[in-house]
Amino acid sequence: MTPPLLGGVEEVASSASLLASSTSVESVCENGSAELKERNYMGLSDSSSSGDSSAISAVTGESKTSLNLKATELRLGLPGSQSPERNSDLCLFASTQLDEKPLFPLHPVNDNHGSSMPKNLLLGNKRGFSDAMDGFSEDKFTSDSEVNAMLSPRSSQNLGLKPGSILENLSSQPAKAKEVVGQKPAQERPLVSNDPRANNRSSANNSSAPATKAQVVGWPPIRSFRKNSLATLSKNTEEVDGKAGASALYVKISMDGAPYLRKVDLRNYSAYKELSLALEKMFSCFTIGQCGSHGTSGREMLTESKLKDLLHGSEYVLTYEDKDGDWMLVGDVPWEMFIETCKRMRIMKGSDAIGLAPRAVEKSRNKD
Amino acid sequence: MNYFPDEVLEHIFDFVGSHKDRNSVSQVCKLWYRIESYSRQKVFVGNCYAIGPERVAERFSGLKSITLKGKPHFADFNLVPPDWGGFVYPWIEAFARSRVGLEELRLKRMVVSDESLELLSRSFPNFKSLVLVSCEGFTTDGLAAVAAYCRQLKELDLQENDVEDHRGHWLSCFPESSTSLVSLNFACLKGDINLPALERLVARSPNLKSLRLSRAVPLDVLQRILIRAPQLLDLGVGSYLHDPDSENYNKLVTAIQKCKSVRSLSGFLDVAPHCLSAFHIICPNLTSLNLSYAPGIYDNELIKLLRHCHKLQRLWILDCIGDKGLEVVASTCKDLEELRVFPSDPYVGQAAVTEEGLVAISRGCQKLNSILYFCQQMTNAALITVAKNCPNFVRFRLCILDPTKPDAVTQQPLDEGFGAIVQACKDLKRLSLSGLLTDQVFLYIGMYAEQLEMLSIAFAGDSDKGMQYVLKGCKKLRKLEIRDSPFGNAALLMDVAKYETMRSLWMSSCEVTLGGCKALAKRMPGLNVEIINENDQMEFVGGCDDDRQKVEKMYLYRTLAGQRRDAPEFVWTL
């Protein structure tokens, strides 16, 4: 019996890799309630079958890092929607396809901006978010948040799997899913390399993480003294930031379309580039990358043309609310001034931010 | 030479420094043996169970300094249960009884009790130097005894020990008069320190050259200490939390500027990420830098610091430096000889290192001879390039964090890469492997690694052949440690006499069986073959069925002392 998913797949020109990936998807489908297996940083599950497409159990006691990553995986469905977890499976399967080219040509990012794709099966989808997903071209194909969300997470390997309604959604989206799966390989590579590291570090160093990830005893070969020290030190550094002479500067960061906000300590960074990198990792889709980094050293001012580049180059921009209550574009002022005046940050849609540009550039011109 | 009086021979032997050479000298004839034995002052015992303390004291009547190593290396990674052994007390007691004029005791991976420290401090009036590395079992009370009773103490060096902290009063136990302290390292202590006592101690230790502080020592105390001891050569900063605008910080900057002699810098155990710039002024003098306990320093700060370190010979660092940071090291630190890159915590925005960092280092640092590198991934091509660029490696330890990861580009095993390393590095003495590896890599090691003395293997190989290649080929092998690899009895028993030429062999989670170990123990009475049976994994239920059980952990070593009497229940000596 072939699930509807495969049926949909066959409509497209078939290829070995596609079938392979769909087979693996099929096996997941057949799993029904996906068996939760612990996955350690090596990608081995408890049963030590490295080829096993197992998922990570979402245990509440998971390390802070993985919880955060879970939170960053923006679920566009209603809170409580189970769509995101499915991603892990798809990602895992697709990770075996690393070397294979995507079957389907990637559409240009803005292809479906303001798409006419039917918004069916959508629970409170915020289109904006799916558009913004960096490099994830599946948003072109579907406005279905469930499928999008499935494909998004870079940190999915950390996330718990819940058996769920994904399967139903999957099966009803055959046309979408095939493309989704096909494109996965292009995205998976960076993800896979990032995640084991995150997993590894947290599992190696965070002694508070209960044994949800099956750790290999004595690996990596670091002296336990060092391991314990680093674990303590990293915890303390987080506390310490609040106690240090320069007290921590936690500001909220919201992102349009995301149900969760984040908080960062601005004192952890010393330049816009660092902040943007961190936010990029946090939100997995944000491309402030160029913000501030084009500026001349020490000044980090955005010119009007660069600002336009920025806005056209990505769907989202980073803005902040300053002491006066004004919403400003991040990157205009020197970093030190920025952290003094920033009250909170918001990642807003490019379209909303256009209005800021002249004012921001004006303000920066005034400072010259 | 036989017509020279003994004193002349003795004088000549004074110039023979290394243990190996002295051992060779003592083998020449009975006369030389005798003279060398009573003139040898420094003795090295690589395995504390290989010989008994009485015999050592008897042979080396002029013994002043002894180095002892206890637990097997893999004990560092929690593979050896606590209470396995490695107690120093019998040694101290035997030396005290034999009236050895002990002046220096250096221990690694041993269990040191407070009683042994007290006995030590009372038994040897000329005792000068205590160095403990990765030891455990003592508290600050033991340190207090050493401080109080070793009146001639010059060196108290505690490296990465597990010490139970009973408050910081031990620092007050040093004699009130001027001390002879030259080196004091208590960086590994976790508890509070009596700060005024510390400052007073530094003030009355005019010879102090090396000082490594623990996390409990804050910045203002550091600053005052530096004012008092600007002659320091080696500084370990404790806590480095500060407000860049504060007066304390400014005072620190002034104090550091006076420390023109500092050649070695370490610590930063608690660090706010900014403003290491206070130290930039001493960086150009540094030959050794250890920031491997400072995860709070971000890569750009690290890089700014490293750009000043032109004379660096030794660098220990966390992988948050990233490949880009390593490129900076490669272009700045042309004298670099030893590099260790440790894995750090998962900070947002931190980069790890890959093969690119290693290649960059190999291109820039031609003098590199020792490396320990924890990385995300590696490729054969990178290793081949590194081998070409740096044929001088004496120690090469690579740890890919995913233990069976293949070449990141070709997905092939890393046999060719490591093969290139062993072929190019003719002086390679120590090698640690990781990544996906087949028997082929061991073939290369057996063929080319002629000087190899220590080999660490994990999750590697396909069959007994792998281990056999190594045992056959590496004539100078002294320590072999293997975990989670498919080597069994055929390999273990291939050349049993070889183990008497080696210090020790460790095999865990391999394919050797109880029967194989028994056979080995029977044929080689000069070896202690120990099975570590935690959690009652194995049972002697009687009958020969036992012998087919796989042995989870086996540790064998040559010994003149016979079976040890202090083995715990879970250790069986066959």
Side-chain angles (χ1 to χ4, degrees):
Chain A
M1 158 242 165
T2 52
L5 168 66
L6 282 186
V9 162
E10 279 153 16
E11 290 168 17
V12 189
S14 63
S15 81
S17 63
L18 176 62
L19 283 177
S21 55
S22 43
T23 309
S24 47
V25 171
E26 173 187 26
S27 69
V28 169
C29 295
E30 283 170 354
N31 267 348
S33 60
E35 223 179 295
L36 300 184
K37 282 202 190 143
E38 294 170 16
R39 172 173 286 262
N40 64 11
Y41 63 88
M42 294 196 296
L44 297 182
S45 64
D46 267 348
S47 55
S48 305
S49 50
S50 48
D52 195 18
S53 54
S54 54
I56 297 167
S57 56
V59 175
T60 47
E62 259 183 324
S63 72
K64 205 201 284 189
T65 313
S66 35
L67 273 179
N68 284 344
L69 292 171
K70 189 175 177 176
T72 64
E73 199 240 332
L74 300 166
R75 295 157 211 197
L76 299 179
L78 292 173
S81 138
Q82 290 147 348
S83 55
E85 285 82 3
R86 202 74 197 104
N87 308 318
S88 324
D89 282 344
L90 279 182
C91 290
L92 295 173
F93 303 142
S95 70
T96 62
Q97 315 300 327
L98 275 182
D99 294 325
E100 295 166 1
K101 296 210 154 57
L103 300 172
F104 305 95
L106 298 183
H107 291 233
V109 177
N110 290 323
D111 197 43
N112 281 338
H113 191 68
S115 104
S116 54
M117 290 290 224
K119 288 194 178 199
N120 47 357
L121 291 186
L122 213 291
L123 313 160
N125 176 38
K126 294 254 184 140
R127 178 105 191 81
F129 171 69
S130 50
D131 281 346
M133 298 202 359
D134 179 28
F136 281 85
S137 39
E138 53 274 5
D139 55 66
K140 274 89 48 234
F141 301 98
T142 175
S143 56
D144 187 302
S145 70
E146 314 264 56
V147 179
N148 275 345
M150 278 192 288
L151 305 172
S152 69
R154 296 192 170 176
S155 44
S156 57
Q157 289 185 19
N158 277 346
L159 303 179
L161 274 204
K162 281 192 228 155
S165 52
I166 287 299
L167 290 176
E168 291 74 31
N169 293 332
L170 244 192
S171 46
S172 57
Q173 299 277 328
K176 312 289 183 341
K178 67 175 193 296
E179 289 151 330
V180 155
V181 172
Q183 284 147 41
K184 233 18 207 118
Q187 317 307 336
E188 228 13 76
R189 198 185 301 254
L191 305 189
V192 169
S193 64
N194 284 338
D195 291 330
R197 173 190 59 193
N199 278 345
N200 167 59
R201 287 176 179 174
S202 52
S203 58
N205 288 317
N206 193 330
S207 49
S208 69
T212 52
K213 304 178 183 167
Q215 299 185 32
V216 178
V217 174
W219 193 270
I222 311 173
R223 274 193 190 159
S224 21
F225 179 87
R226 181 179 289 278
K227 250 194 219 179
N228 296 338
S229 296
L230 282 179
T232 323
L233 286 173
S234 64
K235 275 190 223 145
N236 285 347
T237 314
E238 288 158 17
E239 299 162 14
V240 144
D241 279 337
K243 285 189 287 187
S247 57
L249 269 182
Y250 279 98
V251 294
K252 286 187 193 173
I253 310 188
S254 64
M255 176 154 170
D256 287 1
Y260 303 100
L261 274 64
R262 300 300 306 275
K263 252 189 172 174
V264 285
D265 176 8
L266 291 179
R267 294 230 185 261
N268 277 343
Y269 313 105
S270 58
Y272 284 115
K273 202 162 53 160
E274 282 176 29
L275 174 65
S276 113
L277 218 59
L279 292 182
E280 205 170 342
K281 290 206 157 94
M282 258 190 219
F283 290 96
S284 301
C285 59
F286 187 64
T287 51
I288 193 179
Q290 296 77 40
C291 175
S293 61
H294 290 166
T296 54
S297 55
R299 283 180 47 215
E300 295 178 315
M301 306 284 245
L302 280 184
T303 62
E304 186 168 4
S305 54
K306 282 177 189 148
L307 193 55
K308 282 196 181 143
D309 286 344
L310 177 68
L311 292 173
H312 292 152
S314 90
E315 298 296 330
Y316 274 66
V317 288
L318 181 62
T319 62
Y320 70 102
E321 185 182 3
D322 70 0
K323 280 186 174 142
D324 305 326
D326 297 325
W327 283 94
M328 315 286 296
L329 197 64
V330 168
D332 291 339
V333 301
W335 174 259
E336 287 72 24
M337 196 186 301
F338 167 67
I339 59 178
E340 295 296 310
T341 56
C342 171
K343 286 266 151 292
R344 60 184 166 129
M345 292 198 272
R346 178 178 161 205
I347 304 173
M348 60 169 68
K349 282 184 275 184
S351 45
D352 293 345
I354 294 284
L356 280 184
R359 196 170 64 164
V361 176
E362 225 180 85
K363 259 195 174 176
S364 71
R365 281 215 207 98
N366 291 341
K367 289 186 175 71
D368 283 334
Chain B
M1 289 281 267
N2 283 347
Y3 302 120
F4 289 166
D6 292 357
E7 296 80 32
V8 174
L9 280 177
E10 195 181 322
H11 182 65
I12 295 175
F13 291 167
D14 273 349
F15 294 99
V16 181
S18 85
H19 302 292
K20 258 198 209 137
D21 290 342
R22 288 200 79 107
N23 289 344
S24 308
V25 159
S26 67
Q27 302 285 316
V28 168
C29 64
K30 283 210 176 105
L31 175 68
W32 282 35
Y33 177 90
R34 190 169 52 83
I35 295 175
E36 194 284 317
S37 296
Y38 73 64
S39 63
R40 194 189 304 204
Q41 294 186 341
K42 285 195 178 164
V43 175
F44 173 84
V45 178
N47 174 5
C48 66
Y49 289 120
I51 189 158
E54 297 81 5
R55 255 180 104 158
V56 174
E58 201 188 348
R59 176 174 167 188
F60 301 108
S61 51
L63 189 153
K64 292 210 173 110
S65 155
I66 186 154
T67 305
L68 291 171
K69 293 191 182 180
K71 300 187 197 180
H73 176 228
F74 277 175
D76 280 348
F77 319 131
N78 295 334
L79 287 178
V80 175
D83 307 330
W84 172 87
F87 306 103
V88 77
Y89 189 85
W91 286 81
I92 297 179
E93 199 204 14
F95 282 2
R97 255 185 289 120
S98 308
R99 304 196 187 284
V100 170
L102 194 65
E103 294 184 12
E104 179 179 77
L105 183 63
R106 310 171 74 98
L107 304 178
K108 188 168 185 182
R109 279 191 287 270
M110 292 198 72
V111 177
V112 182
S113 60
D114 282 346
E115 287 87 21
S116 37
L117 288 177
E118 276 166 44
L119 183 61
L120 175 76
S121 61
R122 290 188 194 276
S123 310
F124 306 107
N126 289 332
F127 193 76
K128 295 194 172 67
S129 168
L130 180 63
V131 179
L132 303 178
V133 180
S134 291
C135 296
E136 54 171 0
F138 60 105
T139 75
T140 46
D141 294 342
L143 295 179
V146 172
Y149 302 118
C150 299
R151 296 265 143 179
Q152 311 228 17
L153 194 67
K154 279 187 172 169
E155 182 178 16
L156 179 59
D157 186 358
L158 308 171
Q159 298 176 30
E160 299 189 341
N161 300 293
D162 193 5
V163 186
E164 205 180 298
D165 228 302
H166 292 170
R167 301 276 147 255
H169 86 284
W170 65 279
L171 272 173
S172 323
C173 295
F174 281 97
E176 278 304 318
S177 59
S178 171
T179 76
S180 37
L181 272 181
V182 173
S183 167
L184 178 62
N185 171 8
F186 59 92
C188 64
L189 295 186
K190 293 172 254 196
D192 287 336
I193 290 288
N194 183 338
L195 298 171
L198 173 64
E199 287 187 55
R200 286 196 299 272
L201 178 64
V202 173
R204 65 182 192 279
S205 302
N207 299 325
L208 198 62
K209 291 278 187 291
S210 165
L211 180 63
R212 297 194 184 188
L213 308 168
S214 70
R215 285 175 58 199
V217 182
L219 208 73
D220 56 329
V221 176
L222 171 68
Q223 176 258 322
R224 287 198 287 276
I225 286 176
L226 289 180
I227 296 283
R228 289 214 189 269
Q231 77 281 6
L232 282 179
L233 296 178
D234 172 9
L235 172 65
V237 173
S239 153
Y240 193 70
L241 303 171
H242 63 88
D243 178 355
D245 297 322
S246 72
E247 203 190 312
N248 264 340
Y249 178 73
N250 293 332
K251 282 195 201 158
L252 177 70
V253 172
T254 318
I256 293 176
Q257 280 171 351
K258 298 216 169 70
C259 296
K260 302 230 188 296
S261 324
V262 171
R263 296 281 170 271
S264 166
L265 185 63
S266 61
F268 297 91
L269 305 175
D270 260 339
V271 57
H274 307 285
C275 292
L276 287 179
S277 47
F279 288 91
H280 289 184
I281 191 160
I282 54 171
C283 285
N285 297 330
L286 290 181
T287 56
S288 166
L289 179 62
N290 180 355
L291 295 175
S292 62
Y293 278 99
I297 305 179
Y298 284 83
D299 49 357
N300 60 335
E301 276 297 322
L302 274 178
I303 290 174
K304 271 194 253 175
L305 190 82
L306 285 165
R307 282 200 199 278
H308 292 92
C309 300
H310 306 284
K311 290 207 196 138
L312 215 56
Q313 291 167 14
R314 184 162 78 152
L315 177 63
W316 290 24
I317 204 143
L318 292 171
D319 65 0
C320 37
I321 192 176
D323 286 334
K324 289 277 174 284
L326 289 177
E327 280 170 35
V328 173
V329 173
S331 61
T332 312
C333 310
K334 292 301 183 193
D335 288 338
L336 197 67
E337 294 179 23
E338 178 183 335
L339 174 67
R340 296 196 191 187
V341 180
F342 294 95
S344 58
D345 264 2
Y347 273 59
V348 172
Q350 297 297 328
V353 295
T354 68
E355 76 276 12
E356 291 178 14
L358 184 61
V359 171
I361 290 283
S362 74
R363 282 210 194 100
C365 306
Q366 298 297 316
K367 297 190 189 172
L368 198 64
N369 60 46
S370 169
I371 189 154
L372 170 59
Y373 196 75
F374 286 83
C375 57
Q376 291 300 318
Q377 62 184 49
M378 188 49 59
T379 63
N380 283 313
L383 285 173
I384 292 171
T385 309
V386 168
K388 238 186 279 180
N389 293 338
C390 287
N392 300 321
F393 278 118
V394 172
R395 280 177 293 273
F396 189 89
R397 293 195 277 165
L398 185 69
C399 177
I400 302 168
L401 291 165
D402 179 349
T404 52
K405 195 163 181 183
D407 181 317
V409 168
T410 66
Q411 307 304 314
Q412 294 297 306
L414 289 171
D415 301 333
E416 297 305 312
F418 280 106
I421 294 282
V422 292
Q423 193 175 1
C425 303
K426 305 260 185 272
D427 296 324
L428 195 67
K429 289 206 175 128
R430 182 168 181 183
L431 178 64
S432 297
L433 307 169
S434 62
L436 183 65
L437 296 164
T438 70
D439 284 344
Q440 184 71 10
V441 71
F442 299 112
L443 175 67
Y444 291 140
I445 291 174
M447 261 167 56
Y448 296 114
E450 290 170 9
Q451 302 296 322
L452 197 65
E453 295 180 4
M454 181 168 176
L455 180 61
S456 307
I457 301 170
F459 304 97
D462 308 314
S463 72
D464 284 328
K465 284 219 204 92
M467 185 170 164
Q468 286 170 337
Y469 291 141
V470 171
L471 291 174
K472 230 184 298 188
C474 298
K475 301 281 179 239
K476 300 211 176 165
L477 197 62
R478 290 192 1 242
K479 281 184 282 183
L480 181 57
E481 46 187 25
I482 307 172
R483 63 167 291 186
D484 294 274
S485 302
F487 306 137
N489 294 338
L492 181 69
L493 299 172
M494 180 194 77
D495 179 5
V496 293
K498 175 136 180 112
Y499 303 127
E500 273 196 344
T501 69
M502 290 167 53
R503 185 189 298 174
S504 64
L505 168 67
W506 168 281
M507 291 182 76
S508 62
S509 306
C510 297
E511 303 286 317
V512 292
T513 68
L514 187 55
C517 296
K518 280 185 183 169
L520 174 57
K522 195 162 178 200
R523 283 157 68 179
M524 299 296 295
L527 302 177
N528 276 357
V529 180
E530 294 186 7
I531 309 289
I532 297 175
N533 181 29
E534 316 167 79
N535 313 321
D536 289 322
Q537 281 158 352
M538 302 175 52
E539 293 167 17
F540 275 139
V541 200
C544 6
D545 287 350
D546 299 335
D547 290 359
R548 282 184 293 193
Q549 291 177 85
K550 287 220 196 106
V551 167
E552 188 50 37
K553 292 178 184 173
M554 179 205 73
Y555 179 58
L556 67 82
Y557 52 91
R558 66 180 177 189
T559 178
L560 295 173
Q563 199 179 64
R564 60 184 175 113
R565 285 173 295 247
D566 61 2
E569 268 185 9
F570 53 81
V571 171
W572 302 336
T573 309
L574 298 179

